[in-house]
């Protein structure tokens, strides 16, 4: 594949561990070993918007389709939820029901559901999936996106 680099480099202040791009491609959230960095699209490049220091290890990140919420998967068995207004983050109450490090988070296309996976031992490659809709829903064994854009469990 051929790629073209556009725009100027954006300093992140730490080693990047993951990123999420909004569905409209105008907002990017990068998790590093030191901060959660929100970037906004400007022309062909990206402009730093905010940097929120963290004291935990972030493993994954997702932006809600409405760009009003950011979920961060953490190695301390939590999902940290942030309100997003423009490029400003405000910490909310974390979701603490996981019993293992949370490795992945993702919002449904409608934004009503947040799915999360954790590292289950043994074996370390197994995953437990949880679906949140303001609260932990009953355990879901399969979560698949249908071609029409709806989610099914």
């Amino acid at each position: 594949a051929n790629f073209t680099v556009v725009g100027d480099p954006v300093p992140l202040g730490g080693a990047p561990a993951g990123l999420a791009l909004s569905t409209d491609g105008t907002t990017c959230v990068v998790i590093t070993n030191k901060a959660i960095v929100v970037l906004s699209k400007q022309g062909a490049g990206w402009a730093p918007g905010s940097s929120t220091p963290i004291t935990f290890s972030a493993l994954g990140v997702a932006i809600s389709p409405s760009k009003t919420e950011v979920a961060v998967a953490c190695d301390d068995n939590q999902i940290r939820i942030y309100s997003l207004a423009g490029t400003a983050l405000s910490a909310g109450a974390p979701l603490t029901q996981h019993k293992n490090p949370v490795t992945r988070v993702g919002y449904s296309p409608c934004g009503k559901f947040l799915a999360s996976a954790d590292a289950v031992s043994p074996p370390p490659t197994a995953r437990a999936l949880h679906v949140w809709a303001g609260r932990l829903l009953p355990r879901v064994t399969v979560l698949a996106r249908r071609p029409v854009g709806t989610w099914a469990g």
Side-chain angles (χ1 to χ4, degrees):
N2 294 323
F3 295 98
T4 302
V5 177
V6 295
D8 295 323
V10 177
L12 299 174
L19 63 86
L21 186 64
S22 64
T23 55
D24 66 1
T26 62
T27 303
C28 182
V29 177
V30 181
I31 51 173
T32 75
N33 61 328
K34 296 182 179 181
I36 304 167
V37 180
V38 181
L39 308 172
S40 61
K41 185 81 169 149
Q42 288 193 348
W46 293 93
S50 68
S51 181
T52 303
I54 59 175
T55 58
F56 52 87
S57 181
L59 304 176
V61 64
I63 303 173
S64 68
S66 63
K67 297 191 308 186
T68 57
E69 193 171 82
V70 171
V72 179
C74 305
D75 72 343
D76 62 359
N77 309 349
Q78 296 185 45
I79 301 169
R80 288 185 169 77
I81 304 294
Y82 294 85
S83 294
L84 178 63
T87 59
L89 290 175
S90 300
L95 303 173
T96 60
Q97 287 83 353
H98 277 278
K99 303 211 181 321
N100 297 290
V102 183
T103 55
R104 298 287 184 266
V105 288
Y107 286 93
S108 63
C110 66
K112 290 182 180 179
F113 301 101
L114 173 65
S116 59
D118 62 36
V120 179
S121 272
T125 55
R127 298 287 184 256
L129 181 67
H130 300 278
V131 178
W132 311 85
R135 62 180 175 80
L136 178 62
L137 298 178
R139 192 156 205 70
V140 173
T141 54
V142 176
L143 184 68
R145 185 171 185 191
R146 295 181 184 168
V148 294
T150 60
W151 285 62

